[in-house]
Each structure stands twice: as C-alpha cells, then as structure tokens.
Amino acid sequence: MFRRLPRHAERMVREGSDFRERHLRGVDFLGSFGVLETAAGVLMVQNRRRIGGVEVPVWDLPGGQVEPGELLGETLARELREEIGVEIEGTPRFLFFQEGERVTDGQRDHAWRSFFWAVPAWQGDPAPRSEI
C-alpha cells in the first residue's frame, strides 16, 4: 500500500535540514519503523529536528535509517533497542511504505523510502534511550 504524506508534512520535510547520520548523507534514505501498540495507544518518540531553520520537537514512530549491509528487519530490531530499549519477539508484520523526496531550491537532494511494521510483542519496558 502506498500512502502519501499530507501537503503540510511534505512542506515541513522539504524545508528541514538533513537529519541523517553524517556518513549516510548524500545517498537516498531507506528507513524501517515500528508500530508498537500498548494499552495507552501507539508508542511514539519525541525528537528534535530543524524545520524551516528552527529547531522544533517532532513526534515519530521508533525506528531509523538502514545502515550499509543491513536488512530492514535488522534495522528495526537495532533501532528499537537503541531508541526505546526493547527486544522484538516474533516476526513483525509489514504494514505499508511511504516514499518521497527532499527538495531544496527546486532541486532534489535525495529520495526517501520508509517501511512500517506492526510489532505485536517485545521484551522490556519501552523508555527513551540515548538515541532519542
């Protein structure tokens, strides 16, 4: 299933700075993100990002960029461990992906693709870690 970001979100992405790890800049973004449902709702993490030249808090699903040589599932497991301190149990279920582009001054900087997974079970109590 393909889902496009709302226009205001696309504008925020275009106007933002490159938040990727320095060694992964200059290439397209490939990401893997988890949807963890708790009794309180879907778990989100708060990050800070520069949008339109201003650093602002944003809410994201836990996850992040695929490292060279890494599979999507490996990325998801690593990011959940780093960001919220949990270990995935079982096999996450694919939900959907999104793709788009980051444009500066009318020129494409890079394309991005993000894959989203339902994580039905995990070990550990989710809590912010150093990666957030």
Side-chain angles (χ1 to χ4, degrees):
M1 175 191 322
F2 173 76
R3 291 186 54 181
R4 196 166 169 83
L5 286 175
R7 287 221 183 276
H8 71 279
E10 286 181 2
R11 185 174 58 252
M12 288 171 48
V13 169
R14 283 193 303 267
E15 293 172 358
S17 61
D18 196 341
F19 63 89
R20 298 174 295 163
E21 301 273 345
R22 186 167 301 284
H23 71 284
L24 295 172
R25 294 180 185 168
V27 297
D28 288 350
F29 175 86
L30 178 62
S32 193
F33 299 87
V35 178
L36 289 76
E37 291 190 55
T38 69
V42 173
L43 185 112
M44 303 290 287
V45 295
Q46 188 177 62
N47 291 301
R48 295 197 67 76
R49 212 167 274 140
R50 186 165 294 280
I51 298 175
V54 177
E55 191 169 299
V56 297
V58 296
W59 289 98
D60 296 315
L61 292 167
Q65 188 161 4
V66 176
E67 295 280 344
E70 205 173 39
L71 299 175
L72 290 168
E74 294 169 337
T75 299
L76 181 63
R78 176 181 52 78
E79 290 287 347
L80 294 184
R81 188 178 318 110
E82 291 174 354
E83 290 187 0
I84 59 174
V86 302
E87 295 292 332
I88 296 173
E89 289 185 340
T91 303
R93 181 175 50 85
F94 173 74
L95 295 172
F96 65 96
F97 78 95
Q98 291 181 319
E99 67 178 352
E101 62 185 357
R102 182 177 298 264
V103 176
T104 304
D105 298 327
Q107 298 294 315
R108 180 185 294 167
D109 293 327
H110 65 271
W112 58 266
R113 292 165 193 88
S114 296
F115 290 77
F116 297 85
W117 310 88
V119 180
W122 60 88
Q123 288 184 0
D125 293 323
R129 305 271 312 251
S130 61
E131 284 287 313
I132 296 187

